[in-house]
Amino acid sequence: MSGDYSRIAIVTGATSGIGEATARKFAAAGFGVVGNGRSAAILAAMEKEIGPAFRGVAGDASENTVLEKLFAAVKERFGKPADIVVANAGRGLGGSVKDADLSQFDELLKINVTGTLALLQKAARKMADGQQSAYPKSAADIVIVGSVVGRHISPFSAVYGATKFAVHALAEGLRREVGPKGVRVTLVEPGIVLSGFQAVAGYSDEMVHGFHEKFGPLLTGEDVANAIHYVVTQPPHVNISDIVVRPTRQDYP
């Protein structure tokens, strides 16, 4: 099985938005993909539509048992370890420091920071040793989906942005740690993406309409997936460590 695929990828948050688009882009490019999301039904539909190049693992990406299943599914389905891990699972939370709903903050931290850190740690441990002998003949990539609000503080999403500031720090710390071992680490920072993200984050219809009016056309998941695909298809000695992708008319953040 493994000989049929040029790269093997794990993608979290693969049932919608950027994650789904990335999983589909990778499969179309000849990669084997194990995707994670909370909806077993959506993953099953994707398996049927995409075919043997995609395997779904349902569950919460912040749970250690689910992460273990992801890496096990890669070996079981494709017969070799993943050489791409895309840490994309996460959720938003609208509101300023003064007004944010802090009853949701623990869940926000768990999925955006704690769960991402656990995935990064597992990926780094599994990739680093093997890549020291494989580099520079082959590439290994850890891609972290951050946000422009993890780069520029935005009052309307400052609490969510704080979790992305944390993730950005983890990404840069990891790059400095495993880059010398031949593992590339890339932080992808999207601007406003057209997806279900805003509804989950609790943004009002009025605010979302304002995004369209002020910044549209907004990015799609496919736009960001194209950037991620570009990053992982560079020669092994080339690491695009940070990439910011915004709608053309989005001046801030």
Side-chain angles (χ1 to χ4, degrees):
M1 287 285 188
S2 60
D4 297 337
Y5 303 100
S6 56
R7 303 285 300 272
I8 307 296
I10 287 171
V11 181
T12 63
T15 52
S16 64
I18 293 168
E20 180 182 359
T22 300
R24 292 179 182 277
K25 177 78 176 179
F26 281 179
F31 298 1
V33 183
V34 170
N36 158 260
R38 292 175 188 257
S39 171
I42 293 175
L43 290 169
M46 289 175 68
E47 285 183 347
K48 187 173 181 180
E49 183 183 345
I50 296 171
F54 182 81
R55 166 72 62 87
V57 174
D60 183 340
S62 66
E63 299 291 342
N64 189 63
T65 52
V66 174
L67 296 180
E68 290 289 351
K69 286 178 183 176
L70 274 174
F71 286 93
V74 168
K75 294 293 290 286
E76 178 189 320
R77 173 67 187 83
F78 300 109
K80 59 182 180 180
D83 55 18
I84 302 172
V85 171
V86 180
N88 167 69
R91 56 153 295 181
L93 179 65
S96 65
V97 172
K98 181 171 71 69
D99 297 327
D101 178 3
L102 296 188
S103 69
Q104 299 186 53
F105 188 59
D106 284 348
E107 182 186 351
L108 186 75
L109 272 179
K110 183 181 179 188
I111 187 65
N112 286 11
V113 182
T114 309
T116 298
L117 172 57
L119 176 59
L120 298 183
Q121 187 173 83
K122 285 186 185 300
R125 288 177 174 176
K126 291 177 183 294
M127 287 181 176
D129 289 344
Q131 192 60 8
Q132 285 194 86
S133 58
Y135 179 83
K137 290 184 178 178
S138 62
D141 289 279
I142 299 173
V143 180
I144 301 106
V145 177
S147 171
V148 291
V149 298
R151 172 179 288 263
H152 301 289
I153 295 166
S154 170
F156 68 80
S157 59
V159 174
Y160 163 70
T163 68
K164 289 302 186 178
F165 265 80
V167 167
H168 290 194
L170 295 173
E172 180 60 11
L174 182 60
R175 185 193 66 80
R176 297 182 186 195
E177 181 181 9
V178 299
K181 302 177 187 296
V183 179
R184 304 188 296 200
V185 178
T186 298
L187 175 65
V188 179
E189 301 165 66
I192 299 172
V193 179
L194 191 62
S195 69
F197 175 90
Q198 288 82 18
V200 174
Y203 293 170
S204 68
D205 291 343
E206 183 182 7
M207 180 178 280
V208 173
H209 179 72
F211 291 157
H212 285 274
E213 288 288 307
K214 189 174 181 183
F215 302 137
L218 302 180
L219 298 176
T220 65
E222 287 76 13
D223 296 326
V224 183
N226 288 339
I228 293 172
H229 179 257
Y230 171 76
V231 163
V232 302
T233 52
Q234 296 308 297
H237 71 285
V238 178
N239 177 21
I240 298 170
S241 56
D242 295 270
I243 186 165
V244 181
V245 187
R246 289 186 179 91
T248 299
R249 294 178 64 221
Q250 183 182 341
D251 55 343
Y252 175 86

